[in-house]
Amino acid sequence: MNGITDAVTIVTGAGSGIGRAAAHRFAEEGARVVAADVDVEGGESTVDAIAEDGGEATFVETDVSEYDDVEAMVETAVDTYGGLDCAFNNAGIEGEDEPASEQPLENWDRVIDVNLKGVFHCLKAEIPAMLDNGGGAIVNTSSVAGVVGFPELSPYVASKHGVIGLTKTTAVEYSGEGVRVNAICPGVIDTPMVQRSADTGDGIDMAIAATPIGRLGQPPEIGDAVVWLCSEDASFVTGEAMVVDGGYTSQ
Ligand code: NAP
């Protein structure tokens, strides 16, 4: 894909699932990757695997709900590689399943802090670094839960709808200055998060039955879309919430 070779790229939540797959795809295309995660072991193993494949990556321990951590993450990219070109703001948590009236207040706060405020923190710290560098491209992870509702997931659904609003607003604010901002809305993807969420094998079977393509998505299928959105091949795409869901929301 055009424009990714040598691009300095931050990936949050790079220690597992979708973030790990995207970090690999960026590195395969020649990007220099700053892999950020709260999970040190997972993040370091992503960086090691990229290095084994001949790519370049640096791990930085980051809790995206803490603005100081996010500032340090962006500083690491600039100090290590000389600037910032791309970012995939992907770290997220599923939270607890309860109807809205029974949701623990602390679960609401934690899910919003990580999934929505975390993306805001990233945008706030990354955009100035990209403007200093002549522009850039950002992809934020929303979800099909950013497009439609899901029972018992009110904080998660609210956070993912919010990510699309943040994406559209920052796209309108900064696209004229060379920073494109898009969101990715995955359907049900086979990651540790989904394996955790499925209390029984039935949960996965129900997700497959609700997906017209008839299977779970695989993390590299999201990674491919993210790298494309960050590439010059997507030079006129901004403010878009791209659904990659095997047809889940087309019904
Ligand atoms: P995953 O396998 O659980 O990976 C998420 C990674 O983010 C983990 O390494 C996790 O560390 C890390 N993380 C959690 N909180 C963090 C924080 N505060 N700061 C930095 N890193 C943090 O999940 P995934 O399925 O790849 O999900 C990635 C993103 O895609 C999430 O935003 C999720 O909501 C979204 N998504 C997933 C699906 C799906 O079907 N899998 C569908 C739609 C959207 P710990 O493991 O230590 O918590």
Side-chain angles (χ1 to χ4, degrees):
M1 279 176 250
N2 289 305
I4 299 297
T5 306
D6 288 333
V8 180
T9 303
I10 287 173
V11 178
T12 71
S16 178
I18 291 169
R20 174 176 281 173
H24 273 280
R25 282 297 293 122
F26 275 111
E28 279 168 12
E29 293 286 332
R32 293 169 287 168
V33 176
V34 174
D37 207 294
V38 276
D39 175 2
V40 174
E41 200 180 324
E44 285 180 343
S45 79
T46 298
V47 163
D48 290 346
I50 287 172
E52 275 168 30
D53 289 346
E56 189 159 355
T58 300
F59 172 67
V60 56
E61 184 178 357
T62 308
D63 179 344
V64 295
S65 70
E66 299 289 339
Y67 188 63
D68 289 351
D69 277 19
V70 172
E71 273 193 314
M73 171 187 83
V74 172
E75 276 168 26
T76 299
V78 173
D79 292 349
T80 309
Y81 296 122
L84 181 63
D85 301 294
C86 304
F88 180 34
N89 300 324
N90 163 76
I93 56 173
E94 64 273 33
E96 292 173 35
D97 294 12
E98 293 290 354
S101 63
E102 292 163 40
Q103 272 287 340
L105 294 174
E106 51 283 7
N107 185 54
W108 172 273
D109 287 344
R110 186 64 192 151
V111 172
I112 297 293
D113 276 357
V114 175
N115 293 6
L116 181 55
K117 200 173 179 186
V119 170
F120 171 69
H121 285 163
C122 290
L123 291 164
K124 183 172 168 58
E126 290 159 357
I127 288 170
M130 288 184 179
L131 293 174
D132 285 348
N133 210 23
I138 298 174
V139 177
N140 300 318
T141 300
S142 178
S143 168
V144 289
V147 182
V148 296
F150 285 84
E152 303 199 346
L153 286 175
S154 51
Y156 186 81
V157 169
S159 72
K160 294 301 185 180
H161 275 68
V163 166
I164 293 178
L166 261 180
T167 299
K168 289 180 177 174
T169 298
T170 46
V172 170
E173 288 172 339
Y174 294 103
S175 294
E177 295 177 71
V179 179
R180 293 183 300 104
V181 189
N182 291 290
I184 191 91
C185 301
V188 188
I189 310 301
D190 190 8
T191 70
M193 177 184 283
V194 160
Q195 297 296 342
R196 270 194 309 273
S197 301
D199 293 327
T200 65
D202 290 351
I204 300 277
D205 291 344
M206 283 165 61
I208 291 170
T211 301
I213 280 186
R215 61 174 174 81
L216 301 182
Q218 294 301 314
E221 294 178 292
I222 304 301
D224 283 343
V226 170
V227 177
W228 180 78
L229 282 169
C230 284
S231 77
E232 286 170 7
D233 299 333
S235 54
F236 203 54
V237 183
T238 195
E240 170 66 10
M242 182 194 273
V243 173
V244 181
D245 70 347
Y248 192 102
T249 50
S250 296
Q251 303 165 88

